[in-house]
Amino acid sequence: MRLLLDLRHITDHVERQHLAVQADTYGIWGVVVTGPPGVETVEASAIATATDHVTIVVDIDGEAAHPTTIAEEVAVLDQLSQRRTMIILRAGNEKRNTVTTLLKGLPSEGVILSPPPAQASVVVHAPEDVQQIEMPEEPEKLAELIDQHRDANEQFLVVATHRSVKELARHAIGRAASIDFPQMVADMADQIDPIN
Amino acid sequence: MDIGIGLWCLQSTATNPRSFGRAYQELIEDARLAERSGIHSLWLSEHHGYYDGYCPALMPAASAALAGTETLQVGTGVLLLPLHDPQRVANAANHLNQQFPERFHLGVGMGYRPVEFEMKDRHMSQRLKLMTSGLDILSTTTQTPTWVGISSEQAAERAGRRGLGLFISGAFSKEVVNKLIAAHRVAWEKSEPSDTTPPPVGLLRNLWIVDTAEEQRQALNWVRSSYLVYAGLGWGADNTGVDFVTEIETSMNEVEKSATVGSAQQIAEDLSGYDVDLVVCRIGYDQPPRSALSDVIERIGSELAPLAREF
């Protein structure tokens, strides 16, 4: 299971960028960004420019624009981010299918994207495909939640937190990836290299 | 007079094929070089569904260029407003204006390719109506500096009446440019504006700084060949003497005549004859080697921009 840091509730641009850079540094797989209609990929582009590795997951209002426009914006973002784009599309099935087809580089009703995305295809999720949690204060609770979603074979888990990104990375990335995460190593690391 | 550079279209043309990934990374590199060189602004250009990947989404591209720099101003030259939802455009413009204060310019135009309207389930016949309703929404929902790309006196008048800036194409002769500027100014004055300062005028110009006759010929060939893309796109502008579809050689000759290729001093003298606030040096051709583009960006910043600031 891959962890995504939720930046959708962070209102300050500078803080969003700072957290995205931290996620990039500490190996969080992706960050989730959004904005008012039309702003989603604009914000994502700025985050992509400030980072090198983290996947930029863009939560887009698919009802506010023509599907070709949405696909064009995502394709440009994928070129700018060098294949680091994934989207959550809030739209009906028909529109989501059109955007998905276009973002595979395939024609839809005579339209084909130019440029296409840099990836062979950009993954398009429905909002209900991606589970989300608030990071609890207690480490045991976090461990429990991560185990629960990992064991349910979730592919991604979006985590919203006001705590340190390094703390999330230390305690949750390995646990999300493995059924035998050695919690004692993370606990010892907290003593050797305290985060707060 | 401010000096900017354009038009970054992020293409991979048949003339000069390249990876799109490289094109988008070079946008950031070029923006940084322009900033270091003291250039005022960098301008992007939009088309949809063209074979060469001509950039169809300027707002994310502008955001990346702004995020990759600290002081450079970035503009859309132009975003084809009838092909977008204007409220989404306003939202994006306001966001860029807020995150990067006083660094983003929204240039908008009507578009001229029927296929692009069809891609968005619209029709070319709607474009004027879509443009004017879009401008109405922009004027009430955004404080972002807004420029209107035009190719006719009527369009210049429309922009002037609304108190919006003008963004004039690079292929027009000085005579046509002056007519467009005059139409814009008269329409603005007749609108009984509350503002005492007229809306700004930006002018795209084909130019290149060279030292020798050999370099001059090469640069003029780059200018000519760059208009092949417009022939492919089907551009034929009314009443301007430029029709890249049916009269490509004649049109290229006109473009060559309107281009200014020489020393920075010669170019500055030519530009001083225009009553404009901004000149965007159209250097985003697809033929010059990368080293030549980098060199001319530096020279525009270090040689031409200081001279133009005196006007």
Side-chain angles (χ1 to χ4, degrees), chain A residues 1 143 145-154 157 174-181:
Chain A
M1 183 173 72
L145 276 172
I146 297 286
D147 288 352
Q148 181 189 321
H149 284 279
R150 183 200 61 221
D151 294 345
N153 291 330
E154 302 287 354
L157 182 63
R175 180 171 285 279
S178 168
I179 53 167
D180 59 356
F181 177 65

Side-chain angles (χ1 to χ4, degrees), chain B residues 95-116:
Chain B
H95 180 79
L96 291 175
N97 208 28
Q98 188 186 2
Q99 309 301 348
F100 307 101
E102 297 180 15
R103 294 181 56 202
F104 177 65
H105 299 263
L106 178 62
V108 295
M110 279 211 289
Y112 56 87
R113 298 181 73 216
V115 66
E116 299 188 12

Side-chain angles (χ1 to χ4, degrees), chain B residues 82-285:
Chain B
L83 302 175
H84 295 266
D85 177 277
Q87 187 57 58
R88 286 182 94 250
V89 173
N91 289 347
N94 287 339
H95 180 79
L96 291 175
N97 208 28
Q98 188 186 2
Q99 309 301 348
F100 307 101
E102 297 180 15
R103 294 181 56 202
F104 177 65
H105 299 263
L106 178 62
V108 295
M110 279 211 289
Y112 56 87
R113 298 181 73 216
V115 66
E116 299 188 12
F117 285 80
E118 288 160 19
M119 283 176 70
K120 303 293 175 85
D121 295 320
R122 292 170 188 198
H123 194 272
M124 269 279 283
S125 62
Q126 300 171 293
R127 68 177 185 157
L128 180 57
K129 191 177 164 193
L130 290 166
M131 183 73 179
T132 51
S133 62
L135 288 174
D136 286 341
I137 289 172
L138 291 182
S139 64
T140 55
T141 55
T142 178
Q143 283 75 52
T144 307
T146 303
W147 309 66
V148 182
I150 53 109
S151 59
S152 71
E153 289 175 51
Q154 293 92 327
E157 286 164 0
R158 281 196 296 274
R161 279 197 296 273
R162 290 170 182 275
L164 298 172
L166 210 57
F167 195 79
I168 303 174
S169 165
F172 300 151
S173 67
K174 190 175 269 186
E175 186 189 2
V176 172
V177 168
N178 287 334
K179 274 186 190 168
L180 295 171
I181 292 172
H184 179 248
R185 179 64 63 89
V186 168
W188 174 75
E189 286 167 351
K190 280 186 183 168
S191 71
E192 298 179 0
S194 53
D195 205 338
T196 53
T197 310
V201 175
L203 175 65
L204 198 59
R205 284 281 91 179
N206 290 296
L207 62 81
W208 203 273
I209 301 175
V210 297
D211 297 317
T212 66
E214 190 183 349
E215 288 175 356
Q216 184 182 44
R217 188 59 256 162
Q218 183 177 51
L220 286 169
N221 286 341
W222 290 337
V223 173
R224 288 176 69 89
S225 69
S226 75
Y227 276 83
L228 276 173
V229 72
Y230 295 110
L233 285 163
W235 188 28
D238 295 339
N239 82 359
T240 56
V242 182
D243 184 341
F244 292 101
V245 183
T246 58
E247 296 179 53
I248 188 163
E249 274 301 321
T250 312
S251 297
M252 282 188 176
N253 290 340
E254 289 300 313
V255 164
E256 183 173 328
K257 273 192 248 166
S258 72
T260 312
V261 178
S263 68
Q265 187 66 44
Q266 287 169 324
I267 294 169
E269 281 168 19
D270 181 63
L271 297 181
S272 69
Y274 292 98
D275 183 16
V276 300
D277 305 280
L278 165 75
V279 167
V280 176
C281 307
R282 184 175 176 275
I283 56 170
Y285 313 136

